Amino acid sequence: VEQMRLYMEQLRVANTMTDEAPMENNMSKETETTPMEDETETTQKRLCEVKRISDHACDKDGNFNFKIHFKGISEAEWVKDSECQCEETISEYLASKGISTAYLFCRVSSKEQAQSTNVSLSAQEAELRKAAKTMSMFSGMRIRVYSISHSAYRKIPETLCRIGKVSLPGDIIMVWRVDRLSRNIFHYLQWCEELNDRGVSLYSHQEEITYRDNKLAFTQAILDANKEAELLGKRVKLANKHKLERGDHRIGTLPYGKRYKRVL
């Protein structure tokens, strides 16, 4: 929004200069660009629809960069993989080059958990990256990380659904633990089977299992995660009920610097 505001301000200034300045001055001004104008132009390009990808390159850390052609723009632009929003186009391009993708999917159920040091999003990503480096199959493979803070109790997260949709045979989806994918066992198993039939692998790091090689253990881990979630839910409901019965006016964590004070 701020970039658009600045861009509109530049347009207003440019129009004013066109109305007031002589033509020869306008001609000289067209060749001058400021850093802000360059940044606005780049933002516009990335908001444009992607036409195709013509090339890719990797830096010293193995991160991919893609040469993207946008519709309506003559010159192509090199964009970092982490900044790309055209996963389907990238997937098709890499398939033509014989390059597979490892999707590292990190999830926590709430924003509070995302900030925690215990199995936080950054901790999950670090563990999955370490696991990827130890596996020979990841040599030359593109690694793309997706991190979300969203519950997966009722359904499979939309981000994960999009990953599954663009995944091609030979790709792999890695999670820190089985229950990071979803806790809805019926949707979960159907989704796993669809990916497996398409040649996409699912790997859980903590259990050290893949769905393709050990469906029984993978399914059992899903069941165990669901049982754990149900037991936890029952304990929370029971604790909240007890708090209400004893007269607590607030349930849950308090703001920083506050504490409970019982009024007799």
Side-chain angles (χ1 to χ4, degrees):
V1 173
E2 181 63 15
Q3 289 175 341
M4 287 300 298
R5 186 189 68 78
L6 292 171
Y7 178 64
M8 294 301 293
E9 182 67 16
Q10 290 169 3
L11 286 179
R12 187 184 67 79
V13 173
N15 291 335
T16 302
M17 292 175 60
T18 302
D19 295 337
E20 298 177 357
M23 181 60 69
E24 56 270 23
N25 291 341
N26 291 339
M27 292 295 290
S28 63
K29 288 292 183 180
E30 287 179 359
T31 61
E32 298 178 5
T33 58
T34 63
M36 181 57 68
E37 289 174 338
D38 291 339
E39 182 180 349
T40 305
E41 183 180 0
T42 301
T43 303
Q44 284 182 304
K45 288 182 179 180
R46 292 175 184 172
L47 290 175
C48 291
E49 186 178 352
V50 174
K51 183 178 180 180
R52 65 186 177 91
I53 296 175
S54 60
D55 199 1
H56 74 279
C58 296
D59 58 23
K60 60 181 181 180
D61 297 323
N63 299 314
F64 276 66
N65 297 272
F66 296 100
K67 191 175 184 180
I68 299 179
H69 297 258
F70 297 91
K71 292 184 178 179
I73 299 177
S74 58
E75 295 183 1
E77 178 187 356
W78 283 96
V79 183
K80 293 180 180 179
D81 189 10
S82 59
E83 298 177 1
C84 293
Q85 302 296 328
C86 53
E87 189 61 34
E88 187 171 355
T89 306
I90 292 176
S91 182
E92 293 174 356
Y93 167 80
L94 293 179
S96 67
K97 300 295 182 180
I99 301 175
S100 298
T101 298
Y103 294 100
L104 310 188
F105 181 71
C106 309
R107 183 186 70 83
V108 292
S109 299
S110 64
K111 293 181 179 179
E112 289 76 13
Q113 291 180 353
Q115 299 171 354
S116 173
T117 56
N118 181 29
V119 201
S120 62
L121 293 174
S122 58
Q124 291 181 36
E125 178 182 343
E127 289 297 316
L128 292 177
R129 284 188 179 276
K130 288 180 182 178
K133 290 181 180 179
T134 60
M135 300 181 183
S136 58
M137 63 177 293
F138 288 99
S139 178
M141 182 180 284
R142 169 194 176 228
I143 295 180
R144 183 69 158 91
V145 181
Y146 285 89
S147 301
I148 65 171
S149 55
H150 192 278
S151 174
Y153 186 78
R154 296 184 181 274
K155 63 179 181 178
I156 298 175
E158 293 182 5
T159 301
L160 190 56
C161 290
R162 290 197 297 270
I163 294 174
K165 184 178 179 181
V166 301
S167 296
L168 298 175
D171 290 348
I172 182 172
I173 300 174
M174 297 180 64
V175 291
W176 178 73
R177 197 171 66 179
V178 166
D179 65 348
R180 296 301 86 195
L181 292 170
S182 177
R183 290 185 183 272
N184 188 311
I185 187 171
F186 301 105
H187 293 167
Y188 198 160
L189 291 177
Q190 181 181 2
W191 183 74
C192 290
E193 276 297 307
E194 290 176 354
L195 290 178
N196 189 63
D197 292 341
R198 286 164 43 201
V200 180
S201 299
L202 284 171
Y203 173 78
S204 176
H205 175 59
Q206 192 173 54
E207 291 86 359
E208 295 184 349
I209 53 175
T210 58
Y211 183 78
R212 180 185 299 276
D213 298 330
N214 203 333
K215 289 186 178 181
L216 183 60
F218 209 97
T219 304
Q220 185 61 52
I222 299 172
L223 289 171
D224 293 341
N226 275 267
K227 290 179 180 179
E228 179 184 348
E230 289 182 3
L231 290 174
L232 179 60
K234 289 180 180 179
R235 288 198 296 268
V236 171
K237 288 181 179 179
L238 182 61
N240 290 341
K241 180 182 178 181
H242 176 67
K243 290 178 181 179
L244 290 173
E245 289 176 348
R246 75 182 183 185
D248 290 2
H249 296 287
R250 182 186 177 95
I251 298 176
T253 58
L254 291 173
Y256 179 77
K258 302 290 184 179
R259 66 182 179 88
Y260 287 111
K261 180 179 180 181
R262 187 174 300 281
V263 179
L264 301 177

